[in-house]
Amino acid sequence: MANRFQSVLLGSAFLILSACSQAKADDLNGTTPFLPGGEWRVHDSKRPLPRVVTPSAATQDEFAPPPSDAIVLFDAEGDLSAWTTQVDGADLWPVKDGVLMTNASGDRAPEGAVISGIQTRETFGDVQLHLEFRVPPTSTGASGQQYGNSGVYFMGKYEVQVLNSYQNDTYADGAAASLYGWMPPLVNASRAPGEWQSYDIVFEAPVMNEAGDLVEPAYITMFHNGVLVHNRQEVLGETVWRKVARYEARKSTLPFALQHHGETVHFRNIWIRRLDD
């Protein structure tokens, strides 16, 4: 997530409208508010980066079958019936050979293109999510937040960052597998561009009372390529750019969403399990 595009929230769908080109925005040190604890600012370029670990060899050449009680959101059949957008237009999220893509070709959407995140038709609260993604190798020298940027949005509001973080530095709380704008992953377990990667996430939804006051925050436990990167990490609030996240009153379940940030990212084998029961 970065400020290359204007962000508009329509209902619970996260839409992004392409804007004019801008200067690289990875170094925002000293211009954003402090996070809780007062040591680091939001998107602080001086914050230490997660140490790099090498995940086990990829064994994802085939689509692994989901658990029997999982809701399949996207698989090798290429069916998008579980998803919707709020922008009219063909091929906003093209599908080819069982792969869901933010763009049909190139590193990013054409300048001036209208692009949209997608969200599930069903709503969810506490869930287990499995998702696989791939960032194609760049052909334009893209770097930082402009290299394979997307996002996994629980309840359409709480983002886990998708990015190429293999030999591609950016601010720590914007790295791959970060809770964007808040908490970097424990380690950087990214694979190289062109290789498939996996996110396995347990999301515990926030609890609010009838007045909309926060009773219990959200929590995320996450494995990136089989490596633990968040261990029941508290979620600070709804994801925002360059601001400290905070909670707003909301429904107990909302759609799950994927962000279209303009850059090209591929997805496959997405399934989700309800944990509310």
Side-chain angles (χ1 to χ4, degrees):
M1 180 176 180
N3 65 344
R4 180 176 292 185
F5 305 98
Q6 292 179 314
S7 301
V8 181
L9 195 64
L10 297 180
S12 58
F14 195 60
L15 307 185
I16 306 173
L17 306 181
S18 167
C20 59
S21 61
Q22 60 159 58
K24 183 177 178 181
D26 279 10
D27 189 355
L28 303 170
N29 196 58
T31 65
T32 55
F34 279 100
L35 290 163
E39 184 175 6
W40 306 111
R41 294 179 182 270
V42 176
H43 313 322
D44 198 327
S45 61
K46 294 181 179 180
R47 191 173 186 175
L49 296 175
R51 65 183 176 89
V52 175
V53 302
T54 302
S56 60
T59 57
Q60 301 170 33
D61 295 334
E62 303 291 338
F63 287 90
S68 60
D69 63 347
I71 299 170
V72 176
L73 299 178
F74 184 81
D75 62 11
E77 299 299 320
D79 183 7
L80 280 177
S81 61
W83 302 86
T84 184
T85 69
Q86 290 190 339
V87 170
D88 293 330
D91 297 327
L92 287 174
W93 285 72
V95 175
K96 182 178 181 181
D97 299 327
V99 174
L100 177 63
M101 299 178 282
T102 53
N103 299 311
S105 62
D107 287 347
R108 54 174 293 105
E111 192 70 27
V114 176
I115 56 180
S116 169
I118 56 174
Q119 65 176 20
T120 57
R121 297 182 186 277
E122 293 189 56
T123 63
F124 300 93
D126 296 352
V127 294
Q128 175 190 350
L129 171 76
H130 175 84
L131 171 148
E132 297 167 20
F133 72 94
R134 176 178 64 188
V135 177
T138 180
S139 61
T140 62
S143 63
Q145 291 291 303
Q146 282 70 54
Y147 196 172
N149 194 325
S150 182
V152 173
Y153 275 81
F154 292 95
M155 304 182 74
K157 296 179 180 296
Y158 312 105
E159 183 188 11
V160 174
Q161 175 78 314
V162 173
L163 193 76
N164 169 41
S165 286
Y166 182 84
Q167 299 179 359
N168 178 47
D169 290 346
T170 184
Y171 43 82
D173 64 15
S178 65
L179 309 187
Y180 186 82
W182 162 227
M183 189 59 63
L186 295 171
V187 294
N188 178 358
S190 297
R191 293 192 174 112
E195 296 184 36
W196 283 102
Q197 309 193 53
S198 63
Y199 280 177
D200 287 282
I201 306 172
V202 174
F203 173 77
E204 300 173 54
V207 177
M208 297 182 179
N209 61 24
E210 293 183 357
D213 300 320
L214 183 68
V215 175
E216 183 76 12
Y219 293 92
I220 284 180
T221 299
M222 177 176 178
F223 292 82
H224 181 194
N225 295 326
V227 178
L228 181 69
V229 291
H230 293 291
N231 186 10
R232 202 167 187 261
Q233 173 60 54
E234 180 180 334
V235 177
L236 189 60
E238 297 180 14
T239 300
V240 288
W241 185 65
R242 298 192 67 177
K243 296 180 181 179
V244 177
R246 61 188 180 91
Y247 287 95
E248 300 284 351
R250 51 96 194 130
K251 298 179 180 178
S252 59
T253 65
L254 287 169
F256 169 78
L258 294 175
Q259 182 192 40
H260 194 324
H261 189 272
E263 287 76 41
T264 299
V265 183
H266 299 164
F267 296 95
R268 71 177 188 185
N269 201 16
I270 307 172
W271 53 260
I272 198 166
R273 296 179 62 243
R274 297 185 188 276
L275 304 179
D276 307 77
D277 294 338

